[in-house]
Amino acid sequence: MKIAVCVKQIPDPATPYELDSENHFVVRPDDQVLDDTDRYGVEMGLQLAEATDGEVVLVSMSPANNLQGIRQALAMGADKAIVIDDEALRGSGALVTARVLAAAIEREGADLVIAGTESTDGYVGVVPQMLAELLGMPAMTFARKAELTDGTIRIERQTSGGYDVVEAPLPALVTATSGSVEPRYPTFKGIMGAKQKPIEQPSCAELGVESVGSAGSGQEIVEVRPAPERTAGVKIQDEGDAHTEIIKLLEQAKVI
Amino acid sequence: MDFSLSAEHESFRRVVRQFAEAEIAPNSEEWDRTHEFPTATVLAMGDLGLFGLIFPEEYGGAGADFLTLCIAIEEIARVDSSLAITLEAGVGLGANPILQYGTAEQKDRWLPDLVAGRRLAGFGLTEPDAGSDAGATATRAELDGDEWVINGAKSFITNSGTEITSLVSITARTGPEEISTIIIPAATEGFVVEPGYRKMGWRASDTHGLLFEDCRVPAENLLGDRGRGFHQFLEILDGGRVALAAMSVGVAQGCLDHSLAYAKERKQFGRPIGANQAIAFKIADMQVAIDAARLLTYRAAWLKDQGREFRQAAATAKLFASEAAVDATRQATQIFGGYGFMDESPVSRFYRDAKVLEIGEGTSEIQRMVIARALGL
């Protein structure tokens, strides 16, 4: 059983970021971290691999820089990584990302592909579905739980009111929701071990992917606007009936 | 000369910080309030490998250097002193003597569980009438056939009474001019763990007085050579002082992080209090002291890792860092004003927790004695 887990290195969300003035993408510092939401996909992959004596291969398209974020995921226990960092990829959108990841996964061969639901830096949220389409695999999205039995993957798909139980034959693609599993912390042994694990860095040409960069993306970000400043909230004076006012507001906001 | 840590040390620091903030910090106030020893969290620290860092792989350890342990202790102390001392004492005073002085059988029997953090150990040195003057040890161990019979009392022994404590190594007089170390397994008959102390700080850590009343253990429980007890604990304390210095750095760093955030957010007279030099300079001073304390600590750890003499460096680091930590907690509480005086505020807990850093593993006065002696005084 070979499980490919898609991961992404992103700028540390705790530090200020800047946007490229031309293509409006986040400018990537040398020190990037593993996208926190990817820890769930990696953990899900590791658990399924442990249950089936399988192997976890990380697949990532991003400026590699010092590969610190990838090593974080290797330190958790993944066996190897494939990182595609090609100058030609600058300015690529979601579709190019999906095509590159698909080419890398096809070359590697995988019985199961796991991804997060969306990245924390871009929030486009469509790469996994595009990837499933390109790989010809069923897209088993928003899994809060995943189980493998005899060549079948069975997930619980999170819905607003509960969950659907969905099954598909392998190969398939699963997206793991945050909270689906409890990601393990890498140990010091794991961190030291990650230094020795192979990280392949094929070029787009080696993967046979053409028409990349902004030209191949089929879309561009034309403008970025900051979110509007938050306005002051509503003040309710308690004359003994404040709770009814609050309940009314909560009902209007559809949270109760 | 290169002051940077390796990429692996930095990665490890991030992991421990993440763990500390997610698994420990949200509960610290409650554990402090209820004096609860959080066994499940200590076991989770074991799963993270923190108790096994410096031990050889054959016992399940990571074979890491002492600096790695210092980083772990520093990051835990940044959020919670009780758990930092549990780790520091568990490794430095509990398991380390077994590794340093134990026979193959003793290591095989005790180390795997201690290294994995499934069990904890303590070290019993201090007595009601033998604190800084540890040579005045009055606890006696006499050989009766193939058993040691132990009588006496120990004070302030960390990790000695948890539900996962497997042993306490104690120093005892085995002859007129002879101190030796003996392993006392938990639940041995005649080994009485007194109820936990009421403490000003470190309230979630496990600290007890111990009584030995005709407590019998097999002769082979002697740890290391007979009569070497005094020399052994001096060695053990040297490492412990570096670890306690690391803990002090963490406490001071926690104060700085809390103070900085508060100074930016708290507004008085129409602007953040950090815009006033009175506050900004306190925080700048804190940063200077932390830098100095950290450098002294890492130098001592480095000397130890190089196998070089580090007694004076350890005393220097421990003295400076612990006093810097106490200062930092005092200033942080001042910066927080009235809120800093409330039990719920982390800095008030830090304030209570820090004082003992100037006392445990050799008081500041003892550190000055060690340094003065090294200078030939």
Side-chain angles (χ1 to χ4, degrees), chain A residues 5-248:
Chain A
V5 179
C6 300
V7 296
K8 190 174 187 184
Q9 300 192 115
I10 63 167
D12 188 340
T15 58
Y17 66 93
E18 58 177 311
L19 298 178
D20 185 299
S21 58
E22 269 178 42
N23 63 20
H24 305 296
F25 285 127
V26 176
V27 176
R28 295 183 179 276
D30 275 350
D31 279 337
Q32 298 191 91
V33 297
L34 180 69
D35 189 336
D36 200 55
T37 61
D38 285 336
R39 295 195 303 135
Y40 299 94
V42 174
E43 179 62 39
M44 187 180 276
L46 290 172
Q47 286 184 12
L48 293 172
E50 280 158 9
T52 56
D53 209 13
E55 180 191 4
V56 172
V57 179
L58 307 169
V59 187
S60 183
M61 181 191 116
S62 74
N65 296 332
N66 61 21
L67 289 167
Q68 178 183 298
I70 299 297
R71 288 197 206 280
Q72 263 177 277
L74 289 172
M76 286 174 73
D79 298 280
K80 71 168 191 174
I82 304 167
V83 179
I84 308 101
D85 173 19
D86 192 316
E87 194 51 42
L89 289 168
R90 298 279 181 265
S92 295
L95 182 57
V96 172
T97 307
R99 283 169 44 219
V100 169
L101 294 176
I105 290 166
E106 254 170 3
R107 193 179 75 147
E108 179 69 20
D111 306 294
L112 179 67
V113 179
I114 300 177
T117 54
E118 63 203 342
S119 65
T120 310
D121 58 346
Y123 274 121
V124 179
V126 294
V127 169
Q129 292 83 341
M130 290 173 161
L131 185 55
E133 176 68 20
L134 292 167
L135 291 169
M137 293 182 185
M140 314 278 281
T141 50
F142 300 102
R144 40 165 258 167
K145 192 177 172 192
E147 275 175 343
L148 277 170
T149 34
D150 301 331
T152 303
I153 180 94
R154 183 188 172 98
I155 68 153
E156 291 178 6
R157 172 181 289 151
Q158 185 72 55
T159 64
S160 58
Y163 63 88
D164 302 331
V165 179
V166 189
E167 266 185 15
L170 295 179
L173 177 142
V174 171
T175 68
T177 58
S178 295
S180 53
V181 283
E182 195 170 325
R184 66 195 70 187
Y185 293 96
T187 62
F188 188 72
K189 254 185 182 172
I191 290 169
M192 296 308 283
K195 274 169 76 174
Q196 317 298 336
K197 290 180 177 173
I199 301 180
E200 292 174 23
Q201 295 187 257
S203 66
C204 288
E206 283 168 309
L207 292 177
V209 187
E210 291 168 359
S211 182
V212 294
S214 53
S217 296
Q219 56 167 266
E220 61 176 319
I221 301 168
V222 292
E223 196 184 345
V224 175
R225 291 189 197 173
E229 291 267 329
R230 257 195 236 179
T231 51
V234 183
K235 253 192 196 157
I236 301 165
Q237 289 286 349
D238 189 8
E239 312 277 354
D241 61 349
H243 59 286
T244 58
E245 288 290 312
I246 292 169
I247 289 168
K248 216 181 280 171

Side-chain angles (χ1 to χ4, degrees), chain B residues 39-98:
Chain B
T39 307
T41 306
V42 173
L43 292 170
M45 286 163 62
D47 289 341
L48 185 52
L50 300 188
F51 286 91
L53 288 169
I54 59 168
F55 295 91
E57 298 201 18
E58 59 178 305
Y59 300 111
D65 56 15
F66 198 76
L67 178 62
T68 310
L69 174 63
C70 287
I71 291 170
I73 292 170
E74 184 185 326
E75 288 302 325
I76 303 290
R78 186 176 156 272
V79 305
D80 191 312
S81 288
S82 291
L83 282 169
I85 194 59
T86 302
L87 172 62
E88 192 273 335
V91 175
L93 305 179
N96 191 39
I98 309 284

Side-chain angles (χ1 to χ4, degrees), chain B residues 202-271:
Chain B
W202 291 7
R203 287 183 169 171
S205 80
D206 180 80
T207 324
H208 301 269
L210 309 177
L211 292 177
F212 299 92
E213 298 165 343
D214 288 329
C215 173
R216 287 175 172 267
V217 297
E220 62 261 28
N221 278 25
L222 179 71
L223 183 60
D225 295 334
R226 184 169 174 168
R228 295 287 289 166
F230 192 83
H231 180 78
Q232 288 169 349
F233 75 69
L234 285 182
E235 265 186 8
I236 292 293
L237 285 181
D238 284 337
R241 283 168 188 167
V242 185
L244 217 75
M247 190 175 154
S248 303
V249 172
V251 168
Q253 184 68 52
C255 286
L256 179 98
D257 294 346
H258 283 297
S259 299
L260 194 57
Y262 191 73
K264 287 177 180 173
E265 157 205 311
R266 168 77 168 171
K267 288 198 176 74
Q268 290 291 280
F269 305 107
R271 58 181 188 169

